[in-house]
Amino acid sequence: MTMRRVRLLAVLAIAAVLLVACRPGDIDASFGTNGVVTFGPNFDLGQAIVVPDGRIVVPGTLLSRTDPSHISLRRLNVNGTPDTNFGNQGVVDTFVGHGSGALVLVRQPDDKLVVGGFVEPGAGMPPPTELALLRYLPDGALDASFGNGGVVVSDLGSYDAIVAVVLQLDGKIVAVSDGNHGTLVVRLNPDGSADTTFGWAGIVGLGGHFAAGGPPHVLVQPDGKLVVGASGVRPNDPVGTAVFQLVRLTPTGTRDASFGDNGVVSTDFGFGVDRESFLRGLVLRAGGKLLAAGATDDASGREMFALARYNSDGTLDSTFGTGGRVTHAMPSTNPFNVFAFATQRYGAVVLAGIDYPRAVLARFGPAGDFDTNFGSGGIATSTAIQSVDVLTSQPNGALLAGSRNGGQLARFAG
């Protein structure tokens, strides 16, 4: 065999290995340590974001035996190493009240970061929590032009926390809270003051529409209307069975009567009155259609992937799946739950969670078709992290999967 042929075979062998290692759904070993960045079990991580230059910002709550819990932001370079140009070696810690925590994060067009979470005003067993929004400059310093030194706290006198944040095109900030007051939608002006043109003093309560089973999600339509989705109570159900539920508000915060039943749409998946469905994500599609995704119980009570697509008036889109719904069962018989959702370029969506004892991800195409080119036959699993609690899609399609068990962030090829 000639030396040239030996070199050619060697190159082909290396290329084959790289192709196998980079299949969609595989762990990206170039990120962190063997594909995983570990912040530690005391870091309760929230939803990560990716800024335009590819760096990653992760919000979270740092728990301590000696200090109060506090908001902690971590910024990583593209390869998962700490970004030393942010805060103190890539870490920004903020102490507010007796204790505080961050759950969600959104980036403004000027690169400022808006963080949503909670503040404990004082000690107690358990202490009440107040709604908290903070804004940071790109270098991690608090933005003094926002609220009180960069912090806005709203005391409602009970347990409440910001669980979703979105920006309007006019720079106003919409936040959704979950807690003892049910689901509240809060709108702030760009300087952090309450937007008094929305609801009552900037707050709209959604009453008892949403049930336990996961935080609400919110999006802004091009016409300024707001759609909030979560797991809601099936109408007229005495036992409170959870179903997909969407509520649409006008720009002033009133219910949009042109959507569903006076602004409310509820969807189950037809497996029985005692079978629950849990919404994990919501995205706006072309033509004003809405896609909701999460999980539902099948006839035997086992959880499965579930998606529903709606027309702009809230009716189910009959061109999607079967009567507007898509379900897909897991091939394994392990205990299984769906916790997280992300949308990728070209309209694909990914659902993720735990297929005990390993993390699991599944991808669906824009038409609801199960993507068998992802992972192994459409399912990607990994024991590098134990579950996927939060999920973020990078612009190149890679997936950042966060596990609250151990405070870990993994990257999967997209």
Side-chain angles (χ1 to χ4, degrees):
M1 183 180 295
T2 66
M3 185 58 67
R4 182 179 179 182
R5 182 172 175 79
V6 169
R7 286 197 298 265
L8 176 60
L9 290 174
V11 169
L12 291 174
I14 293 170
V17 170
L18 291 174
L19 285 171
V20 171
C22 296
R23 293 178 309 176
D26 283 352
I27 281 280
D28 178 3
S30 70
F31 182 75
T33 302
N34 297 321
V36 179
V37 172
T38 300
F39 301 109
N42 294 333
F43 185 76
D44 187 8
L45 83 173
Q47 183 84 42
I49 66 166
V50 181
V51 298
D53 63 7
R55 287 179 293 182
I56 300 158
V57 187
V58 186
T61 304
L62 193 63
L63 308 173
S64 171
R65 293 182 178 180
T66 57
D67 297 317
S69 64
H70 59 272
I71 293 166
S72 188
L73 303 183
R74 312 294 175 92
R75 195 164 75 185
L76 306 174
N77 294 311
V78 176
N79 64 357
T81 58
D83 176 9
T84 56
N85 295 316
F86 183 75
N88 181 11
Q89 300 298 306
V91 178
V92 170
D93 289 331
T94 306
F95 292 82
V96 185
H98 181 75
S100 56
L103 302 172
V104 288
L105 173 65
V106 67
R107 172 190 158 272
Q108 294 187 169
D110 59 4
D111 288 329
K112 292 180 181 180
L113 301 171
V114 178
V115 174
F118 62 90
V119 167
E120 299 172 2
M125 291 298 290
T129 59
E130 302 169 344
L131 307 182
L133 285 163
L134 298 85
R135 191 164 70 192
Y136 296 84
L137 300 174
D139 64 357
L142 280 168
D143 179 8
S145 69
F146 183 77
N148 182 11
V151 180
V152 172
V153 174
S154 181
D155 182 6
L156 302 179
S158 187
Y159 174 84
D160 295 283
I162 298 294
V163 294
V165 179
V166 69
L167 299 176
Q168 295 190 168
L169 291 177
D170 58 6
K172 292 182 180 182
I173 301 165
V174 178
V176 179
S177 73
D178 196 24
N180 287 356
H181 286 93
T183 300
L184 304 176
V185 184
V186 180
R187 194 164 73 190
L188 305 179
N189 295 310
D191 64 357
S193 61
D195 178 9
T196 56
T197 68
F198 183 76
W200 182 82
I203 299 177
V204 171
L206 298 186
H209 278 293
F210 295 124
H217 302 261
V218 62
L219 58 81
V220 182
Q221 296 187 170
D223 59 5
K225 293 179 180 180
L226 302 171
V227 183
V228 181
S231 305
V233 177
R234 190 198 312 269
N236 304 314
D237 186 337
V239 299
T241 304
V243 295
F244 281 19
Q245 199 157 78
L246 310 181
V247 178
R248 191 161 75 187
L249 304 175
T250 68
T252 62
T254 60
R255 300 287 176 87
D256 180 9
S258 68
F259 184 77
D261 182 8
N262 193 32
V264 181
V265 169
S266 300
T267 305
D268 65 26
F269 287 82
F271 290 103
V273 294
D274 58 345
R275 300 307 182 202
E276 298 196 293
S277 304
F278 300 100
L279 190 150
R280 301 302 189 207
L282 183 65
V283 64
L284 187 65
R285 292 299 200 205
K289 294 184 179 183
L290 295 160
L291 177 69
T296 190
D297 294 338
D298 66 13
S300 66
R302 178 168 169 75
E303 197 160 295
M304 62 195 309
F305 299 106
L307 302 93
R309 194 166 73 188
Y310 305 87
N311 298 310
S312 58
D313 62 358
T315 57
L316 283 165
D317 178 6
S318 60
T319 66
F320 180 80
T322 302
R325 304 173 180 88
V326 168
T327 58
H328 191 86
M330 271 292 292
S332 79
T333 58
N334 300 330
F336 169 65
N337 292 104
V338 176
F339 299 129
F341 164 91
T343 182
Q344 294 183 301
R345 293 182 301 171
Y346 315 119
V349 298
V350 181
L351 287 166
I354 183 170
D355 181 40
Y356 187 82
R358 57 189 181 170
V360 62
L361 302 90
R363 188 161 70 187
F364 296 83
D369 48 305
F370 187 60
D371 183 359
T372 55
N373 294 316
F374 181 79
S376 177
I379 300 289
T381 60
S382 176
T383 56
I385 55 174
Q386 294 186 26
S387 66
V388 181
D389 300 295
V390 288
L391 190 65
T392 301
S393 178
Q394 295 189 178
N396 66 356
L399 295 158
L400 296 168
S403 174
R404 294 195 170 105
N405 192 333
Q408 295 180 302
L409 185 70
R411 187 161 70 194
F412 293 81

